[in-house]
């Protein structure tokens, strides 16, 4: 059974996350279908892609499938992690991707949404970045995605508290483009997508790629990168990382000890 649906209406594609039983957790299987759907949008020259969950969901996506995270001793968000592939696929797609968000967005799914080009959310939408809740050392490019989404102080609040922020506050902070009532959000996104699809696709795709390169142009020396990787290894090799994953799987609160 498909975990993702793809529909085309002229030059506009809509990809729907469709695994409500697992709250659209970003498992390898679901991510592979998402990447395949994005690739199909590119091959069919879609001019806009709308990424959404089923209408009216309480949870847009529960984030990385925690059961697929390594138990320790290996980078949980390394270059080849499916979530990393997915974020790059969104960023490198020539067509703009509009995230239509209803319900809660958790952890790595926040990075997926923030990697989209525009974000339209209903008032029910919330955004929670959760590495600290699991004891995970988020990866460098993911941190850059968050830092490009809003001010450093807000990113620190979201990362250190792991608490959800509301769509209304996210809009006020410039983290999302519009908050639109659930009853109107589909028509709003359709009109936005139609406006974009009437413009020059080559111009748009090149401007999207320029902004990706400029936004990611963070001169980090090899020495600094190695230091970051060394620090991250301390975290994913820690007892706290193992405890965070185990506590989630056992559906209990974690007891972090700071090592
Ligand atoms: C696997 C899940 C998940 C899930 N994985 O429904 O950003 S980082 O670094 O943290 C990164 C590593 C990351 O993204 O980590 C994941 C961060 N995500 C979260 O912390 C959210 C975890 N999920 C929840 O808090 C709840 O599931 C929410 C609030 C999303 C929905 O609550 P609700 O009561 O509606 P359940 O918790 O009952 O979940 C329904 C089924 O989905 C599974 C969960 O285990 C359950 O499966 P079973 O029915 O088999 O028990 N599920 C939910 N989230 N991230 N599986």
């Amino acid at each position: 059974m498909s975990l993702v649906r793809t529909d085309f209406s002229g030059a506009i594609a809509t990809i729907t996350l469709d695994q409500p039983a697992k709250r659209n957790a970003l498992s390898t299987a679901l991510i592979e279908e998402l990447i395949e759907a994005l690739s199909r949008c590119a091959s069919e020259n879609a001019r806009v892609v709308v990424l959404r969950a089923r209408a009216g969901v309480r949870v847009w996506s529960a984030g990385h499938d925690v059961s697929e995270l390594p138990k320790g001793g290996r980078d949980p968000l390394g270059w080849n992690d499916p979530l990393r592939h997915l974020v790059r696929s969104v960023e490198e797609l020539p067509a703009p991707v509009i995230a239509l968000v209803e319900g809660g967005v958790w952890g790595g799914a926040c990075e997926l949404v923030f990697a989209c080009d525009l974000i339209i959310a209903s008032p029910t939408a919330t955004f929670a970045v959760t590495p600290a809740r699991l004891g995970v050392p988020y990866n460098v490019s993911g941190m850059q995605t968050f830092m490009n989404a809003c001010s450093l102080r807000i990113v620190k609040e979201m990362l250190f508290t792991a608490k959800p922020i509301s769509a209304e506050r996210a809009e006020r902070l410039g983290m999302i483009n519009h908050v639109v009532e659930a009853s109107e959000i589909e028509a709003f996104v359709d009109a936005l997508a139609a406006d974009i699809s009437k413009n020059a696709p080559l111009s748009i795709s090149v401007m999207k790629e320029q902004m990706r390169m400029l936004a990611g142009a963070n001169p980090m020396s090899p020495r600094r990168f190695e230091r970051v990787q060394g620090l991250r290894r301390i975290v994913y090799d820690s007892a706290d990382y193992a405890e965070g994953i185990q506590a989630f799987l056992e559906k209990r609160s974690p007891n972090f000890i700071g090592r």
Side-chain angles (χ1 to χ4, degrees):
M1 185 187 88
S2 291
L3 307 178
V4 163
R5 282 199 336 266
T6 306
D7 303 291
F8 288 88
S9 171
I12 298 167
T14 298
I15 300 174
T16 304
L17 302 174
D18 199 20
Q19 194 181 18
K22 293 288 275 187
R23 305 298 183 269
N24 293 328
L26 299 175
S27 60
T28 301
L30 189 146
I31 287 175
E32 284 173 350
E33 288 193 31
L34 265 177
I35 291 172
E36 175 55 37
L38 289 164
S39 171
R40 187 177 157 214
C41 292
S43 60
E44 307 219 0
N45 297 314
R47 291 191 176 184
V48 181
V49 177
V50 177
L51 180 62
R52 61 170 300 165
R54 283 185 187 179
V57 287
R58 226 170 21 82
V59 178
W60 193 86
S61 171
H64 200 299
D65 184 327
V66 175
S67 66
E68 293 186 357
L69 287 170
K71 297 292 183 287
R74 183 166 63 81
D75 189 336
L77 293 169
W79 178 264
N80 289 319
D81 180 86
L83 177 62
R84 311 307 329 142
H85 276 291
L86 176 58
V87 169
R88 293 196 296 268
S89 297
V90 170
E91 292 174 335
E92 294 164 9
L93 191 76
V97 181
I98 302 173
L100 189 169
V101 181
E102 295 177 276
V105 185
W106 296 83
C110 277
E111 191 195 349
L112 171 59
V113 169
F114 293 160
C116 292
D117 299 288
L118 293 93
I119 305 169
I120 313 301
S122 77
T124 64
T126 58
F127 304 88
V129 185
T130 51
R133 195 165 96 155
L134 286 170
V136 167
Y138 218 81
N139 66 299
V140 178
S141 63
M143 297 291 283
Q144 186 155 61
T145 304
F146 295 133
M147 292 168 70
N148 284 333
C150 58
S151 78
L152 192 57
R153 210 161 311 287
I154 301 302
V155 175
K156 287 181 177 180
E157 179 187 332
M158 291 183 78
L159 281 168
F160 298 165
T161 65
K163 294 281 189 195
I165 70 164
S166 68
E168 182 274 329
R169 183 172 181 218
E171 183 190 35
R172 188 158 25 93
L173 295 167
M175 200 184 291
I176 66 177
N177 296 81
H178 300 277
V179 176
V180 179
E181 288 301 328
S183 57
E184 299 161 15
I185 196 166
E186 287 186 354
F188 185 95
V189 170
D190 287 349
L192 180 62
D195 287 344
I196 295 171
S197 69
K198 291 182 191 113
N199 289 331
L202 273 182
S203 166
I204 287 173
S205 64
V206 166
M207 288 192 288
K208 174 175 174 177
E209 178 61 1
Q210 286 178 72
M211 286 186 279
R212 182 185 73 83
M213 290 192 284
L214 289 167
N218 195 330
M220 178 181 270
S221 69
R223 182 186 174 91
R224 280 176 175 234
F225 180 74
E226 284 169 359
R227 171 163 157 67
V228 164
Q229 289 302 87
L231 289 170
R232 294 186 60 246
R233 179 164 193 164
I234 293 167
V235 176
Y236 64 71
D237 275 353
S238 70
D240 275 358
Y241 172 81
E243 164 62 8
I245 303 290
Q246 201 53 35
F248 178 88
L249 298 175
E250 293 172 0
K251 299 185 188 289
R252 61 176 171 81
S253 296
N255 174 33
F256 293 127
I257 55 175
R259 60 174 185 276

